[in-house]
Amino acid sequence: MIIFIKLLLAHIIGDFIVQPDAWVADKEKKIHRSKYLYLHTLLHAVLAYVLVGEKAFAAYALLLAFLHGGIDFLKLRFQRKENKRRWFIADQWLHVLVIIGITFGYNGELPDFSFADDQFWILVTALIFLTKPTSIIIKNIISIWTPENKWDKNDDSLQNAGNYIGILERLFVFYFVTSGHLEAVGFLLAAKSIFRFGDLKEAKDRKLTEYVLIGTLLSFGMAFLVGLLVQYGLLFC
């Protein structure tokens, strides 16, 4: 399992953390003519190889990167504005399937890791996933319901405040689940609902209210699920 966790971490870092928006925009515009498509592919090979930490994994890292680049090319080639959300979801599932295949196909010997090492990689992967990657995933999932007035130029909220609030709430939920304080999750959800009630009431926009509710429930739900998966994973390290 630790091979899968490390490869998943490499994917999360390569696709969501270190890839600048400028790379994404250039790839979408130029597709295979974009140098960033190849830099992005190479980056995944390096990350996978470094995180697994075995010389014997070099060929598998190159294969993983080649398949990653091929999947990205197909997405860039066939996605359109109206189906971008579906291609994003399909793209990520295909990457995960490739990681699973590489995990089962690798026959090399890994160093003997202690329970503490396994626990470290599982926790790091979960925590990083619940930050920017989960925000991007939720944004893409609910993009078809984005209200027209969501990006009101007169909005006086703090820059990126909603994004940081989402990250913090997911980290709190993750901690509450993994520490066994499930009742605190309900308290946190109720507290956020109270604080958001005034803004939504003044907006008098049912679509915006539903949009915020869907995003909040997805955010809490994903953090709760990741917390449960981490608990399960630690039991079988």
Side-chain angles (χ1 to χ4, degrees):
M1 183 182 70
I2 203 63
I3 289 279
F4 173 77
I5 294 298
K6 288 187 173 185
L7 293 181
L8 184 62
L9 177 59
H11 172 73
I12 291 170
I13 294 174
D15 252 22
F16 298 103
I17 302 298
V18 301
Q19 179 176 214
D21 292 338
W23 286 26
V24 177
D26 192 79
K27 289 190 297 180
E28 290 179 344
K29 180 180 180 181
K30 300 178 181 178
I31 309 177
H32 62 282
R33 296 190 300 275
S34 173
K35 64 180 180 181
Y36 297 116
L37 174 61
Y38 306 102
L39 285 174
H40 177 69
T41 301
L42 178 61
L43 177 63
H44 274 276
V46 173
L47 286 170
Y49 178 70
V50 170
L51 287 179
V52 171
E54 273 292 300
K55 292 182 179 179
F57 191 75
Y60 290 88
L62 291 174
L63 175 61
L64 186 149
F66 176 78
L67 293 174
H68 186 102
I71 293 170
D72 279 4
F73 169 75
L74 289 176
K75 182 190 73 170
L76 295 168
R77 175 68 178 79
F78 294 107
Q79 78 174 4
R80 299 292 182 270
K81 184 177 180 180
E82 60 275 10
N83 64 8
K84 193 172 182 179
R85 171 178 168 269
R86 292 195 296 271
W87 268 107
F88 172 83
I89 296 172
D91 171 77
Q92 292 304 315
W93 275 114
L94 287 172
H95 289 320
V96 172
L97 289 175
V98 167
I99 290 173
I100 292 173
I102 294 292
T103 299
F104 282 102
Y106 178 56
N107 296 317
E109 291 289 335
L110 278 176
D112 292 328
F113 290 106
S114 65
F115 170 76
D117 292 323
D118 293 346
Q119 190 178 45
F120 169 79
W121 288 110
I122 292 172
L123 288 175
V124 167
T125 301
L127 291 172
I128 292 178
F129 174 75
L130 289 174
T131 58
K132 184 179 178 181
T134 301
S135 296
I136 294 174
I137 292 171
I138 292 174
K139 180 181 177 181
N140 277 274
I141 290 175
I142 66 177
S143 61
I144 55 173
W145 300 304
T146 304
E148 294 180 359
N149 64 343
K150 182 178 184 294
W151 310 116
D152 187 354
K153 294 182 179 179
N154 296 321
D155 185 7
D156 57 355
S157 64
L158 297 175
Q159 185 177 9
N160 294 322
N163 183 44
Y164 292 121
I165 290 172
I167 291 173
L168 287 173
E169 73 186 17
R170 287 192 295 274
L171 294 178
F172 277 123
V173 170
F174 176 80
Y175 171 74
F176 293 147
V177 172
T178 54
S179 62
H181 295 88
L182 298 182
E183 69 283 354
V185 177
F187 174 79
L188 183 62
L189 181 59
K192 182 178 180 181
S193 300
I194 292 171
F195 281 115
R196 293 291 291 175
F197 177 76
D199 294 335
L200 295 175
K201 184 179 179 180
E202 291 181 6
K204 297 180 180 179
D205 189 333
R206 182 174 180 178
K207 290 182 178 179
L208 178 60
T209 301
E210 292 172 342
Y211 177 86
V212 172
L213 180 59
I214 292 172
T216 297
L217 292 177
L218 278 173
S219 182
F220 274 74
M222 292 181 74
F224 195 91
L225 178 60
V226 170
L228 292 178
L229 288 174
V230 166
Q231 281 190 316
Y232 179 82
L234 294 180
L235 286 175
F236 292 91
C237 282

